Amino acid sequence: MQPPARPQRLLTAGAVAAVLLLPGPSATAAPSQPPPAAGAGRSGYDRLHRLVDPAARRLATADLVASAKWGTGAPVDDPAREQQVLDTVTRLAREEGADPRETVRIFQDQIEASKQVQRAMHLRWNADPAEAPASRTDLARVREEINRINAETVRAIAASAAVRAAPSCAGTLTAAEADVRHRRHLDRLHATALTYALRTVCTPGDGDAMESGG
């Protein structure tokens, strides 16, 4: 007697992409700017929440980038694309009134966090091919979504300058991060990557920090 077929535990890359790009709440893509906690209003919490949420959505796209590269031999590291992102967010930072050095520092961490997720997904699929995506994601389409999230993030960085420099930033950021993790039902991999992506949000920019993150 044949054992029952193993259920497919991973959506196809195309299905995941469709979920990610649709508006409205879901485990993969929550609303772009979920409401702040009761009583937060336009507080520092709200401003940091609007920075944390796109960081989480950007990490969701890392699964899709991993899917697009899976089986192609394309490396996770893509220095040319990474530099393009950093050049673009530097320009956007100037346009939005954000500090370009702080913006680059935060995005370096977000890029590294994304690569951490991609590497972990490839290791998972190598270890268990049944978990691998059944089809490849369109990388160009995913990058269009990443570009939109990046622009939103730069605006959030500009709007949160005062709260990020405040002594209370670390505690407020922790609360906002916990709420986003809960809303998005993040697993351990993505929750850990989110913490990394936000690790210098409250740190004053300096030349040494800009070298971190890859």
Side-chain angles (χ1 to χ4, degrees):
M1 181 177 179
Q2 292 287 340
R6 185 179 186 180
Q8 185 174 0
R9 290 177 287 170
L10 193 70
L11 293 174
T12 65
V16 173
V19 171
L20 176 65
L21 299 178
L22 281 174
S26 76
T28 305
S32 60
Q33 294 182 344
R42 295 179 181 178
S43 64
Y45 173 89
D46 187 25
R47 292 179 186 276
L48 288 181
H49 201 291
R50 290 169 185 266
L51 175 54
V52 175
D53 188 70
R57 278 187 287 121
R58 196 179 197 282
L59 286 173
T61 68
D63 296 46
L64 305 182
V65 175
S67 169
K69 294 178 179 180
W70 174 250
T72 67
V76 168
D77 292 276
D78 188 344
R81 164 65 180 173
E82 293 168 26
Q83 190 58 53
Q84 180 185 55
V85 169
L86 295 178
D87 290 344
T88 299
V89 300
T90 298
R91 173 180 57 80
L92 291 174
R94 294 193 178 104
E95 293 174 359
E96 296 290 341
D99 185 312
R101 289 166 62 86
E102 291 184 1
T103 301
V104 166
R105 184 191 71 231
I106 292 169
F107 270 92
Q108 285 177 321
D109 287 344
Q110 294 203 1
I111 289 170
E112 181 58 34
S114 175
K115 292 192 291 186
Q116 289 174 5
V117 172
Q118 291 179 52
R119 294 185 189 108
M121 297 305 293
H122 282 183
L123 285 172
R124 181 181 300 175
W125 297 338
N126 272 317
D128 187 355
E131 292 276 7
S135 61
R136 262 187 217 107
T137 308
D138 182 344
L139 186 56
R141 185 183 178 197
V142 178
R143 284 179 170 171
E144 288 177 1
E145 176 65 7
I146 292 172
N147 291 342
R148 286 191 287 270
I149 295 172
N150 289 348
E152 180 183 340
T153 301
V154 173
R155 291 192 294 271
I157 291 171
S160 63
V163 66
R164 288 188 294 102
S168 60
C169 178
T172 307
L173 181 66
T174 297
E177 181 184 349
D179 183 70
V180 170
R181 287 201 313 264
H182 173 73
R183 287 176 182 272
R184 293 187 170 282
H185 310 288
L186 297 188
D187 60 17
R188 180 176 296 181
L189 169 63
H190 292 80
T192 301
L194 180 60
T195 297
Y196 189 97
L198 302 171
R199 70 190 185 122
T200 58
V201 163
C202 298
T203 305
D206 56 50
D208 292 337
M210 290 185 66
E211 297 299 325
S212 68

